[in-house]
Amino acid sequence: MKIGKDITAAKALLENGQLVAIPTETVYGLAANGMDAIAVATIFDAKQRPSFNPLILHVADQTAWRGLVRNVPPKAQLLADAFWPGPITLVLPKADVVPDIVTAGNDTVAVRMPAHEMTRELLSSLNFPLAAPSANPSGYISPTLPEHVFAQLGDRVAYILDGGPSSVGVESTIVKVIGDDVTILRFGGLPVEDIEAVVGKVLLPERKSYVEAPGMLASHYAPDKRVLLGNKKELWLANKKEKLLVLNFSELLPEVPEKRQLLLSAKGDLKEAAAALFGHLRALDAMQGALIIAEMVPDIGLGKAINDRLRRAAAERSL
Ligand code: TXA
Ligand code: MG
């Protein structure tokens, strides 16, 4: 069986340069030996990921990551102590041992200590970090269940380690720490408010940066169906033309049949909403209908990550 809970089998495959999907608290990752440039190249190939898009190195403990970075700014140490293991990735000056393919030639490297018990046990048993992007074809919705990985990359991975549903449901918050500057590069599973409580004011991502960065597309985390960020008026207008599906935050729209809409959280809880987001987008993508209307959520805490993913799911796609 390709999906299972055999950590020893996963370890042996990874040591042999193969790809294994791993559970994390955020989303499932597509992992390979992060020190083996050839193994890492198979990740890019399996995902059809552009080679300019760097990968995160996943580590087991506080000592494992220090060898991967050139220096540890004091604020990076504070964040690591406060939040690892957990849904934050630190982008730091890269050490020479890290293969260039991992960082796409950048002089920084992204490191993270995931909180999922099975993956922590796996990482502790390995003597290398795991390079792992989310385990989805490039540009598509990230997986929060082993079955999501199997459906799309089942023939590209040697094994899928089954750790159940990802509890957080959106990817890690990515934070670059250079000297005294702390910059959020991607909103994610750790709210910015929590980060600022530890290191003070941070710089926020420039909206244009992910559009203008070389070759980067604003479109990401996207279902195959078109997504519209909607209010009820837009919804009504669109309804005249196309079969629509609805993703709402906490209240069902009375004008839409119940089987054509999903709620992120009936009680309006952002944690619950984040955990449900990608699974619901996948479910809507599989239903009959041409267009998904999605409602934004309150822009606080985890809501910033949810809204970021919805905006990208709705962004114009080139090509
Ligand atoms: O929660 C997560 O972060 C998940 C789980 C599997 O750990 N991983 C994940 O990886 O979301 P991926 O590859 O899908 O997204 C990582 C993001 C990419 O947008 C990449 O451009 C950025 O991190 N990144 C990686 N290294 C970087 C670097 N050195 N500088 C700036 N951005 C970097
Ligand atoms: Mg990804």
mmCIF file of all heavy atoms in Angstrom, residues 22 24-30 47 49 52-56 58 87 89 91-92 102-103 106-112 114 132-136 142 170-174 176 185-186 216 220-221 312, ligand 1:
data_model
loop_
_atom_site.group_PDB
_atom_site.id
_atom_site.type_symbol
_atom_site.label_atom_id
_atom_site.label_comp_id
_atom_site.label_asym_id
_atom_site.label_seq_id
_atom_site.Cartn_x
_atom_site.Cartn_y
_atom_site.Cartn_z
ATOM 1 N N ILE A 22 4.784 13.636 3.516
ATOM 2 C CA ILE A 22 4.784 13.641 4.991
ATOM 3 C C ILE A 22 3.676 14.545 5.537
ATOM 4 O O ILE A 22 3.385 15.606 4.985
ATOM 5 C CB ILE A 22 6.150 14.119 5.548
ATOM 6 C CG1 ILE A 22 6.527 15.510 4.978
ATOM 7 C CG2 ILE A 22 7.245 13.105 5.248
ATOM 8 C CD1 ILE A 22 7.681 16.193 5.699
ATOM 9 N N THR A 24 2.150 17.259 8.007
ATOM 10 C CA THR A 24 2.561 18.288 8.963
ATOM 11 C C THR A 24 1.290 18.928 9.500
ATOM 12 O O THR A 24 0.196 18.666 9.001
ATOM 13 C CB THR A 24 3.488 19.389 8.375
ATOM 14 O OG1 THR A 24 2.699 20.427 7.801
ATOM 15 C CG2 THR A 24 4.488 18.839 7.367
ATOM 16 N N GLU A 25 1.439 19.762 10.517
ATOM 17 C CA GLU A 25 0.268 20.407 11.100
ATOM 18 C C GLU A 25 -0.354 21.419 10.138
ATOM 19 O O GLU A 25 -1.532 21.760 10.276
ATOM 20 C CB GLU A 25 0.637 21.073 12.435
ATOM 21 C CG GLU A 25 1.351 22.419 12.344
ATOM 22 C CD GLU A 25 2.845 22.297 12.017
ATOM 23 O OE1 GLU A 25 3.267 21.321 11.375
ATOM 24 O OE2 GLU A 25 3.589 23.240 12.405
ATOM 25 N N THR A 26 0.416 21.875 9.149
ATOM 26 C CA THR A 26 -0.122 22.872 8.208
ATOM 27 C C THR A 26 -0.768 22.189 7.015
ATOM 28 O O THR A 26 -1.991 22.233 6.853
ATOM 29 C CB THR A 26 0.994 23.820 7.733
ATOM 30 O OG1 THR A 26 2.034 23.055 7.114
ATOM 31 C CG2 THR A 26 1.540 24.642 8.887
ATOM 32 N N VAL A 27 0.055 21.564 6.171
ATOM 33 C CA VAL A 27 -0.409 20.823 4.997
ATOM 34 C C VAL A 27 0.567 19.659 4.793
ATOM 35 O O VAL A 27 1.609 19.600 5.450
ATOM 36 C CB VAL A 27 -0.436 21.712 3.715
ATOM 37 C CG1 VAL A 27 -1.366 22.904 3.898
ATOM 38 C CG2 VAL A 27 0.959 22.179 3.311
ATOM 39 N N TYR A 28 0.235 18.723 3.903
ATOM 40 C CA TYR A 28 1.162 17.628 3.610
ATOM 41 C C TYR A 28 2.318 18.139 2.742
ATOM 42 O O TYR A 28 2.135 18.979 1.861
ATOM 43 C CB TYR A 28 0.449 16.475 2.896
ATOM 44 C CG TYR A 28 -0.198 15.512 3.877
ATOM 45 C CD1 TYR A 28 -1.313 15.891 4.610
ATOM 46 C CD2 TYR A 28 0.336 14.246 4.099
ATOM 47 C CE1 TYR A 28 -1.881 15.025 5.543
ATOM 48 C CE2 TYR A 28 -0.232 13.365 5.017
ATOM 49 C CZ TYR A 28 -1.342 13.768 5.738
ATOM 50 O OH TYR A 28 -1.894 12.917 6.659
ATOM 51 N N GLY A 29 3.527 17.624 3.021
ATOM 52 C CA GLY A 29 4.705 18.009 2.249
ATOM 53 C C GLY A 29 5.169 16.873 1.350
ATOM 54 O O GLY A 29 4.895 15.698 1.620
ATOM 55 N N LEU A 30 5.856 17.237 0.272
ATOM 56 C CA LEU A 30 6.456 16.257 -0.642
ATOM 57 C C LEU A 30 7.954 16.262 -0.361
ATOM 58 O O LEU A 30 8.667 17.144 -0.818
ATOM 59 C CB LEU A 30 6.161 16.669 -2.086
ATOM 60 C CG LEU A 30 6.651 15.752 -3.189
ATOM 61 C CD1 LEU A 30 5.972 14.389 -3.102
ATOM 62 C CD2 LEU A 30 6.382 16.368 -4.557
ATOM 63 N N LYS A 47 6.304 17.897 -9.047
ATOM 64 C CA LYS A 47 5.312 18.970 -8.868
ATOM 65 C C LYS A 47 5.163 19.853 -10.095
ATOM 66 O O LYS A 47 4.305 20.724 -10.122
ATOM 67 C CB LYS A 47 5.761 19.901 -7.715
ATOM 68 C CG LYS A 47 5.430 19.439 -6.333
ATOM 69 C CD LYS A 47 5.776 20.548 -5.331
ATOM 70 C CE LYS A 47 4.985 21.816 -5.518
ATOM 71 N NZ LYS A 47 4.070 22.172 -4.442
ATOM 72 N N ARG A 49 7.272 22.111 -10.646
ATOM 73 C CA ARG A 49 7.514 23.386 -9.975
ATOM 74 C C ARG A 49 8.623 24.137 -10.695
ATOM 75 O O ARG A 49 9.662 23.561 -11.016
ATOM 76 C CB ARG A 49 7.933 23.116 -8.529
ATOM 77 C CG ARG A 49 8.189 24.368 -7.669
ATOM 78 C CD ARG A 49 8.540 23.891 -6.268
ATOM 79 N NE ARG A 49 8.870 24.902 -5.325
ATOM 80 C CZ ARG A 49 8.062 25.303 -4.332
ATOM 81 N NH1 ARG A 49 6.850 24.829 -4.249
ATOM 82 N NH2 ARG A 49 8.474 26.171 -3.441
ATOM 83 N N PHE A 52 12.941 28.264 -10.142
ATOM 84 C CA PHE A 52 13.313 29.484 -9.400
ATOM 85 C C PHE A 52 12.584 29.593 -8.065
ATOM 86 O O PHE A 52 12.797 30.533 -7.317
ATOM 87 C CB PHE A 52 13.046 30.742 -10.242
ATOM 88 C CG PHE A 52 11.622 30.855 -10.734
ATOM 89 C CD1 PHE A 52 10.592 31.202 -9.875
ATOM 90 C CD2 PHE A 52 11.312 30.585 -12.072
ATOM 91 C CE1 PHE A 52 9.287 31.286 -10.329
ATOM 92 C CE2 PHE A 52 10.003 30.668 -12.525
ATOM 93 C CZ PHE A 52 8.997 31.018 -11.660
ATOM 94 N N ASN A 53 11.714 28.638 -7.757
ATOM 95 C CA ASN A 53 10.926 28.723 -6.523
ATOM 96 C C ASN A 53 11.549 27.840 -5.430
ATOM 97 O O ASN A 53 11.470 26.616 -5.500
ATOM 98 C CB ASN A 53 9.484 28.293 -6.804
ATOM 99 C CG ASN A 53 8.524 28.711 -5.704
ATOM 100 O OD1 ASN A 53 8.931 29.321 -4.707
ATOM 101 N ND2 ASN A 53 7.259 28.383 -5.871
ATOM 102 N N PRO A 54 12.183 28.453 -4.424
ATOM 103 C CA PRO A 54 12.962 27.685 -3.440
ATOM 104 C C PRO A 54 12.110 26.855 -2.484
ATOM 105 O O PRO A 54 10.912 27.074 -2.351
ATOM 106 C CB PRO A 54 13.707 28.776 -2.660
ATOM 107 C CG PRO A 54 12.877 30.004 -2.819
ATOM 108 C CD PRO A 54 12.226 29.899 -4.172
ATOM 109 N N LEU A 55 12.748 25.890 -1.823
ATOM 110 C CA LEU A 55 12.051 24.951 -0.924
ATOM 111 C C LEU A 55 12.397 25.215 0.541
ATOM 112 O O LEU A 55 13.435 25.787 0.853
ATOM 113 C CB LEU A 55 12.471 23.512 -1.261
ATOM 114 C CG LEU A 55 12.267 23.044 -2.697
ATOM 115 C CD1 LEU A 55 12.749 21.592 -2.838
ATOM 116 C CD2 LEU A 55 10.806 23.156 -3.101
ATOM 117 N N ILE A 56 11.508 24.735 1.419
ATOM 118 C CA ILE A 56 11.744 24.817 2.866
ATOM 119 C C ILE A 56 12.469 23.553 3.330
ATOM 120 O O ILE A 56 12.117 22.446 2.923
ATOM 121 C CB ILE A 56 10.404 24.945 3.618
ATOM 122 C CG1 ILE A 56 9.666 26.222 3.202
ATOM 123 C CG2 ILE A 56 10.627 24.915 5.135
ATOM 124 C CD1 ILE A 56 8.234 26.327 3.752
ATOM 125 N N HIS A 58 13.021 21.088 6.418
ATOM 126 C CA HIS A 58 12.344 20.726 7.664
ATOM 127 C C HIS A 58 13.321 19.994 8.586
ATOM 128 O O HIS A 58 14.016 19.075 8.134
ATOM 129 C CB HIS A 58 11.135 19.840 7.365
ATOM 130 C CG HIS A 58 10.079 20.532 6.558
ATOM 131 N ND1 HIS A 58 10.269 20.880 5.244
ATOM 132 C CD2 HIS A 58 8.841 20.977 6.887
ATOM 133 C CE1 HIS A 58 9.177 21.498 4.786
ATOM 134 N NE2 HIS A 58 8.304 21.575 5.775
ATOM 135 N N PRO A 87 3.824 26.324 13.156
ATOM 136 C CA PRO A 87 3.603 26.752 11.766
ATOM 137 C C PRO A 87 4.275 28.073 11.375
ATOM 138 O O PRO A 87 3.635 28.969 10.858
ATOM 139 C CB PRO A 87 2.079 26.859 11.683
ATOM 140 C CG PRO A 87 1.648 27.192 13.069
ATOM 141 C CD PRO A 87 2.622 26.512 13.994
ATOM 142 N N THR A 89 7.945 29.468 9.372
ATOM 143 C CA THR A 89 9.182 29.173 8.641
ATOM 144 C C THR A 89 10.072 30.397 8.721
ATOM 145 O O THR A 89 9.608 31.522 8.509
ATOM 146 C CB THR A 89 8.862 28.868 7.164
ATOM 147 O OG1 THR A 89 8.112 27.645 7.105
ATOM 148 C CG2 THR A 89 10.122 28.719 6.325
ATOM 149 N N VAL A 91 13.290 32.460 7.220
ATOM 150 C CA VAL A 91 14.212 32.627 6.086
ATOM 151 C C VAL A 91 15.435 33.389 6.606
ATOM 152 O O VAL A 91 15.321 34.510 7.094
ATOM 153 C CB VAL A 91 13.527 33.376 4.925
ATOM 154 C CG1 VAL A 91 14.540 33.729 3.837
ATOM 155 C CG2 VAL A 91 12.399 32.524 4.338
ATOM 156 N N LEU A 92 16.586 32.714 6.513
ATOM 157 C CA LEU A 92 17.817 33.207 7.141
ATOM 158 C C LEU A 92 18.978 33.085 6.163
ATOM 159 O O LEU A 92 18.885 32.360 5.160
ATOM 160 C CB LEU A 92 18.109 32.350 8.384
ATOM 161 C CG LEU A 92 17.031 32.376 9.482
ATOM 162 C CD1 LEU A 92 17.296 31.291 10.515
ATOM 163 C CD2 LEU A 92 16.971 33.750 10.132
ATOM 164 N N VAL A 102 18.044 23.803 -3.603
ATOM 165 C CA VAL A 102 17.060 23.969 -2.528
ATOM 166 C C VAL A 102 16.632 25.437 -2.432
ATOM 167 O O VAL A 102 15.446 25.749 -2.270
ATOM 168 C CB VAL A 102 17.640 23.504 -1.168
ATOM 169 C CG1 VAL A 102 16.722 23.897 -0.008
ATOM 170 C CG2 VAL A 102 17.872 21.999 -1.185
ATOM 171 N N THR A 103 17.592 26.338 -2.518
ATOM 172 C CA THR A 103 17.298 27.765 -2.319
ATOM 173 C C THR A 103 17.107 28.498 -3.643
ATOM 174 O O THR A 103 16.967 29.711 -3.654
ATOM 175 C CB THR A 103 18.448 28.443 -1.549
ATOM 176 O OG1 THR A 103 19.633 28.384 -2.339
ATOM 177 C CG2 THR A 103 18.688 27.767 -0.213
ATOM 178 N N ASN A 106 19.282 31.442 -4.187
ATOM 179 C CA ASN A 106 19.249 32.565 -3.240
ATOM 180 C C ASN A 106 20.322 32.392 -2.161
ATOM 181 O O ASN A 106 20.740 31.276 -1.874
ATOM 182 C CB ASN A 106 17.883 32.634 -2.539
ATOM 183 C CG ASN A 106 16.813 33.187 -3.432
ATOM 184 O OD1 ASN A 106 16.847 34.345 -3.815
ATOM 185 N ND2 ASN A 106 15.853 32.353 -3.788
ATOM 186 N N ASP A 107 20.724 33.512 -1.532
ATOM 187 C CA ASP A 107 21.684 33.368 -0.439
ATOM 188 C C ASP A 107 20.994 33.265 0.922
ATOM 189 O O ASP A 107 21.604 33.396 1.961
ATOM 190 C CB ASP A 107 22.731 34.480 -0.465
ATOM 191 C CG ASP A 107 22.104 35.836 -0.286
ATOM 192 O OD1 ASP A 107 20.861 35.903 -0.157
ATOM 193 O OD2 ASP A 107 22.849 36.835 -0.258
ATOM 194 N N THR A 108 19.665 33.011 0.866
ATOM 195 C CA THR A 108 18.931 32.714 2.098
ATOM 196 C C THR A 108 18.354 31.307 1.983
ATOM 197 O O THR A 108 18.181 30.778 0.888
ATOM 198 C CB THR A 108 17.758 33.693 2.292
ATOM 199 O OG1 THR A 108 16.958 33.687 1.112
ATOM 200 C CG2 THR A 108 18.257 35.102 2.591
ATOM 201 N N VAL A 109 18.053 30.720 3.149
ATOM 202 C CA VAL A 109 17.420 29.404 3.173
ATOM 203 C C VAL A 109 16.224 29.454 4.124
ATOM 204 O O VAL A 109 16.257 30.143 5.145
ATOM 205 C CB VAL A 109 18.419 28.301 3.598
ATOM 206 C CG1 VAL A 109 18.950 28.535 5.009
ATOM 207 C CG2 VAL A 109 17.779 26.908 3.502
ATOM 208 N N ALA A 110 15.156 28.742 3.756
ATOM 209 C CA ALA A 110 13.959 28.675 4.590
ATOM 210 C C ALA A 110 14.029 27.412 5.441
ATOM 211 O O ALA A 110 14.256 26.319 4.914
ATOM 212 C CB ALA A 110 12.714 28.652 3.704
ATOM 213 N N VAL A 111 13.859 27.560 6.758
ATOM 214 C CA VAL A 111 13.878 26.394 7.653
ATOM 215 C C VAL A 111 12.644 26.395 8.539
ATOM 216 O O VAL A 111 12.118 27.449 8.896
ATOM 217 C CB VAL A 111 15.151 26.348 8.545
ATOM 218 C CG1 VAL A 111 16.363 25.971 7.738
ATOM 219 C CG2 VAL A 111 15.373 27.648 9.280
ATOM 220 N N ARG A 112 12.231 25.174 8.886
ATOM 221 C CA ARG A 112 11.033 25.071 9.727
ATOM 222 C C ARG A 112 11.043 23.763 10.491
ATOM 223 O O ARG A 112 11.507 22.733 9.990
ATOM 224 C CB ARG A 112 9.807 25.184 8.819
ATOM 225 C CG ARG A 112 8.569 24.424 9.222
ATOM 226 C CD ARG A 112 7.364 24.962 8.458
ATOM 227 N NE ARG A 112 6.379 23.930 8.158
ATOM 228 C CZ ARG A 112 5.479 23.475 9.046
ATOM 229 N NH1 ARG A 112 5.449 23.950 10.266
ATOM 230 N NH2 ARG A 112 4.622 22.528 8.695
ATOM 231 N N PRO A 114 8.406 21.342 11.936
ATOM 232 C CA PRO A 114 6.957 21.084 11.954
ATOM 233 C C PRO A 114 6.521 20.442 13.275
ATOM 234 O O PRO A 114 7.331 19.837 13.972
ATOM 235 C CB PRO A 114 6.752 20.128 10.778
ATOM 236 C CG PRO A 114 8.065 19.475 10.565
ATOM 237 C CD PRO A 114 9.122 20.442 11.026
ATOM 238 N N ALA A 132 10.886 20.024 1.579
ATOM 239 C CA ALA A 132 9.496 19.657 1.291
ATOM 240 C C ALA A 132 8.622 20.861 0.990
ATOM 241 O O ALA A 132 8.354 21.669 1.862
ATOM 242 C CB ALA A 132 8.895 18.874 2.463
ATOM 243 N N PRO A 133 8.180 20.960 -0.257
ATOM 244 C CA PRO A 133 7.117 21.908 -0.584
ATOM 245 C C PRO A 133 5.784 21.229 -0.278
ATOM 246 O O PRO A 133 5.753 20.043 0.061
ATOM 247 C CB PRO A 133 7.270 22.104 -2.090
ATOM 248 C CG PRO A 133 7.768 20.767 -2.565
ATOM 249 C CD PRO A 133 8.613 20.200 -1.437
ATOM 250 N N SER A 134 4.694 21.965 -0.373
ATOM 251 C CA SER A 134 3.391 21.332 -0.233
ATOM 252 C C SER A 134 3.243 20.267 -1.330
ATOM 253 O O SER A 134 3.742 20.441 -2.440
ATOM 254 C CB SER A 134 2.291 22.377 -0.330
ATOM 255 O OG SER A 134 2.452 23.161 -1.500
ATOM 256 N N ALA A 135 2.532 19.167 -1.002
ATOM 257 C CA ALA A 135 2.496 18.000 -1.888
ATOM 258 C C ALA A 135 1.361 18.085 -2.907
ATOM 259 O O ALA A 135 0.481 17.216 -2.954
ATOM 260 C CB ALA A 135 2.397 16.721 -1.063
ATOM 261 N N ASN A 136 1.375 19.124 -3.714
ATOM 262 C CA ASN A 136 0.361 19.339 -4.757
ATOM 263 C C ASN A 136 1.070 19.703 -6.050
ATOM 264 O O ASN A 136 2.187 20.219 -6.007
ATOM 265 C CB ASN A 136 -0.570 20.494 -4.355
ATOM 266 C CG ASN A 136 0.214 21.721 -3.932
ATOM 267 O OD1 ASN A 136 0.669 21.807 -2.786
ATOM 268 N ND2 ASN A 136 0.420 22.659 -4.860
ATOM 269 N N SER A 142 -3.181 23.156 -1.804
ATOM 270 C CA SER A 142 -2.338 22.273 -0.990
ATOM 271 C C SER A 142 -3.173 21.161 -0.349
ATOM 272 O O SER A 142 -4.345 21.350 -0.042
ATOM 273 C CB SER A 142 -1.647 23.077 0.113
ATOM 274 O OG SER A 142 -0.815 24.063 -0.437
ATOM 275 N N VAL A 170 -3.646 25.653 6.749
ATOM 276 C CA VAL A 170 -2.981 26.550 5.794
ATOM 277 C C VAL A 170 -1.478 26.471 6.061
ATOM 278 O O VAL A 170 -1.049 26.097 7.151
ATOM 279 C CB VAL A 170 -3.449 28.024 5.882
ATOM 280 C CG1 VAL A 170 -4.875 28.159 5.380
ATOM 281 C CG2 VAL A 170 -3.313 28.569 7.298
ATOM 282 N N GLU A 171 -0.679 26.820 5.059
ATOM 283 C CA GLU A 171 0.766 26.682 5.157
ATOM 284 C C GLU A 171 1.344 27.586 6.244
ATOM 285 O O GLU A 171 0.696 28.520 6.719
ATOM 286 C CB GLU A 171 1.422 27.031 3.811
ATOM 287 C CG GLU A 171 1.001 26.153 2.650
ATOM 288 C CD GLU A 171 -0.320 26.575 2.031
ATOM 289 O OE1 GLU A 171 -0.986 27.483 2.570
ATOM 290 O OE2 GLU A 171 -0.693 25.974 1.007
ATOM 291 N N SER A 172 2.604 27.322 6.562
ATOM 292 C CA SER A 172 3.284 28.101 7.601
ATOM 293 C C SER A 172 3.396 29.574 7.219
ATOM 294 O O SER A 172 3.415 29.935 6.040
ATOM 295 C CB SER A 172 4.690 27.522 7.817
ATOM 296 O OG SER A 172 5.442 27.599 6.622
ATOM 297 N N THR A 173 3.461 30.404 8.233
ATOM 298 C CA THR A 173 3.785 31.816 8.030
ATOM 299 C C THR A 173 5.283 31.893 7.734
ATOM 300 O O THR A 173 6.081 31.297 8.452
ATOM 301 C CB THR A 173 3.471 32.625 9.307
ATOM 302 O OG1 THR A 173 2.094 32.411 9.638
ATOM 303 C CG2 THR A 173 3.724 34.110 9.112
ATOM 304 N N ILE A 174 5.651 32.584 6.651
ATOM 305 C CA ILE A 174 7.075 32.680 6.309
ATOM 306 C C ILE A 174 7.599 34.048 6.723
ATOM 307 O O ILE A 174 7.039 35.090 6.355
ATOM 308 C CB ILE A 174 7.305 32.439 4.807
ATOM 309 C CG1 ILE A 174 6.755 31.060 4.433
ATOM 310 C CG2 ILE A 174 8.794 32.522 4.481
ATOM 311 C CD1 ILE A 174 7.000 30.675 2.994
ATOM 312 N N LYS A 176 11.110 36.406 7.151
ATOM 313 C CA LYS A 176 12.527 36.591 6.850
ATOM 314 C C LYS A 176 13.157 37.437 7.943
ATOM 315 O O LYS A 176 12.620 38.493 8.298
ATOM 316 C CB LYS A 176 12.649 37.299 5.496
ATOM 317 C CG LYS A 176 14.056 37.475 4.992
ATOM 318 C CD LYS A 176 13.985 38.010 3.566
ATOM 319 C CE LYS A 176 15.354 38.275 2.997
ATOM 320 N NZ LYS A 176 15.248 38.672 1.584
ATOM 321 N N LEU A 185 6.857 37.218 4.719
ATOM 322 C CA LEU A 185 6.837 36.967 3.275
ATOM 323 C C LEU A 185 5.544 36.284 2.841
ATOM 324 O O LEU A 185 5.128 36.405 1.699
ATOM 325 C CB LEU A 185 8.022 36.092 2.857
ATOM 326 C CG LEU A 185 9.424 36.650 3.110
ATOM 327 C CD1 LEU A 185 10.475 35.692 2.565
ATOM 328 C CD2 LEU A 185 9.597 38.024 2.482
ATOM 329 N N ARG A 186 4.945 35.525 3.753
ATOM 330 C CA ARG A 186 3.671 34.861 3.443
ATOM 331 C C ARG A 186 2.862 34.744 4.732
ATOM 332 O O ARG A 186 3.367 34.254 5.730
ATOM 333 C CB ARG A 186 3.928 33.451 2.872
ATOM 334 C CG ARG A 186 2.647 32.641 2.608
ATOM 335 C CD ARG A 186 2.918 31.266 1.989
ATOM 336 N NE ARG A 186 3.449 30.311 2.940
ATOM 337 C CZ ARG A 186 3.828 29.073 2.632
ATOM 338 N NH1 ARG A 186 3.749 28.645 1.370
ATOM 339 N NH2 ARG A 186 4.307 28.264 3.545
ATOM 340 N N MET A 216 7.015 34.957 -10.910
ATOM 341 C CA MET A 216 6.033 34.529 -9.915
ATOM 342 C C MET A 216 4.635 34.929 -10.343
ATOM 343 O O MET A 216 4.410 36.010 -10.846
ATOM 344 C CB MET A 216 6.333 35.183 -8.557
ATOM 345 C CG MET A 216 7.404 34.476 -7.780
ATOM 346 S SD MET A 216 6.735 33.049 -6.940
ATOM 347 C CE MET A 216 6.289 33.818 -5.394
ATOM 348 N N HIS A 220 -2.240 31.082 -7.301
ATOM 349 C CA HIS A 220 -1.657 29.955 -6.589
ATOM 350 C C HIS A 220 -2.763 29.382 -5.738
ATOM 351 O O HIS A 220 -3.813 29.996 -5.595
ATOM 352 C CB HIS A 220 -0.520 30.465 -5.705
ATOM 353 C CG HIS A 220 0.608 29.489 -5.604
ATOM 354 N ND1 HIS A 220 1.694 29.523 -6.437
ATOM 355 C CD2 HIS A 220 0.820 28.438 -4.781
ATOM 356 C CE1 HIS A 220 2.523 28.548 -6.105
ATOM 357 N NE2 HIS A 220 2.020 27.874 -5.105
ATOM 358 N N TYR A 221 -2.544 28.225 -5.143
ATOM 359 C CA TYR A 221 -3.538 27.632 -4.245
ATOM 360 C C TYR A 221 -4.897 27.605 -4.937
ATOM 361 O O TYR A 221 -5.926 27.834 -4.313
ATOM 362 C CB TYR A 221 -3.649 28.443 -2.937
ATOM 363 C CG TYR A 221 -2.309 28.796 -2.315
ATOM 364 C CD1 TYR A 221 -1.773 30.067 -2.415
ATOM 365 C CD2 TYR A 221 -1.575 27.823 -1.626
ATOM 366 C CE1 TYR A 221 -0.552 30.380 -1.840
ATOM 367 C CE2 TYR A 221 -0.347 28.133 -1.051
ATOM 368 C CZ TYR A 221 0.148 29.411 -1.169
ATOM 369 O OH TYR A 221 1.359 29.731 -0.607
ATOM 370 N N ARG A 312 -5.477 34.584 -3.926
ATOM 371 C CA ARG A 312 -4.638 33.935 -4.945
ATOM 372 C C ARG A 312 -5.417 32.902 -5.741
ATOM 373 O O ARG A 312 -5.176 32.710 -6.934
ATOM 374 C CB ARG A 312 -3.425 33.300 -4.293
ATOM 375 C CG ARG A 312 -2.545 34.356 -3.647
ATOM 376 C CD ARG A 312 -1.218 33.772 -3.362
ATOM 377 N NE ARG A 312 -0.547 34.475 -2.286
ATOM 378 C CZ ARG A 312 0.754 34.641 -2.232
ATOM 379 N NH1 ARG A 312 1.523 34.169 -3.200
ATOM 380 N NH2 ARG A 312 1.299 35.262 -1.214
HETATM 381 O O1 TXA B 1 3.525 24.865 5.876
HETATM 382 C C1 TXA B 1 4.378 24.881 4.980
HETATM 383 O O2 TXA B 1 5.193 25.799 4.858
HETATM 384 C C2 TXA B 1 4.393 23.692 4.038
HETATM 385 C C3 TXA B 1 4.733 22.426 4.822
HETATM 386 C C4 TXA B 1 4.874 21.221 3.930
HETATM 387 O O3 TXA B 1 5.894 22.641 5.554
HETATM 388 N N1 TXA B 1 5.328 23.908 2.983
HETATM 389 C C5 TXA B 1 5.116 24.792 1.979
HETATM 390 O O4 TXA B 1 6.113 24.804 1.030
HETATM 391 O O5 TXA B 1 4.141 25.502 1.924
HETATM 392 P P1 TXA B 1 5.920 25.488 -0.415
HETATM 393 O O6 TXA B 1 7.165 25.139 -1.136
HETATM 394 O O7 TXA B 1 4.660 25.064 -1.009
HETATM 395 O O8 TXA B 1 5.951 26.995 -0.073
HETATM 396 C C6 TXA B 1 7.143 27.555 0.432
HETATM 397 C C7 TXA B 1 7.254 28.977 0.067
HETATM 398 C C8 TXA B 1 7.375 29.241 -1.410
HETATM 399 O O9 TXA B 1 6.499 30.275 -1.762
HETATM 400 C C9 TXA B 1 8.814 29.694 -1.570
HETATM 401 O O10 TXA B 1 8.924 30.648 -2.595
HETATM 402 C C10 TXA B 1 9.130 30.279 -0.216
HETATM 403 O O11 TXA B 1 8.456 29.461 0.673
HETATM 404 N N2 TXA B 1 10.567 30.218 0.085
HETATM 405 C C11 TXA B 1 11.324 29.126 0.249
HETATM 406 N N3 TXA B 1 12.620 29.452 0.442
HETATM 407 C C12 TXA B 1 12.679 30.794 0.403
HETATM 408 C C13 TXA B 1 13.735 31.746 0.505
HETATM 409 N N4 TXA B 1 15.008 31.375 0.697
HETATM 410 N N5 TXA B 1 13.418 33.056 0.413
HETATM 411 C C14 TXA B 1 12.139 33.442 0.216
HETATM 412 N N6 TXA B 1 11.097 32.590 0.087
HETATM 413 C C15 TXA B 1 11.368 31.285 0.177
#
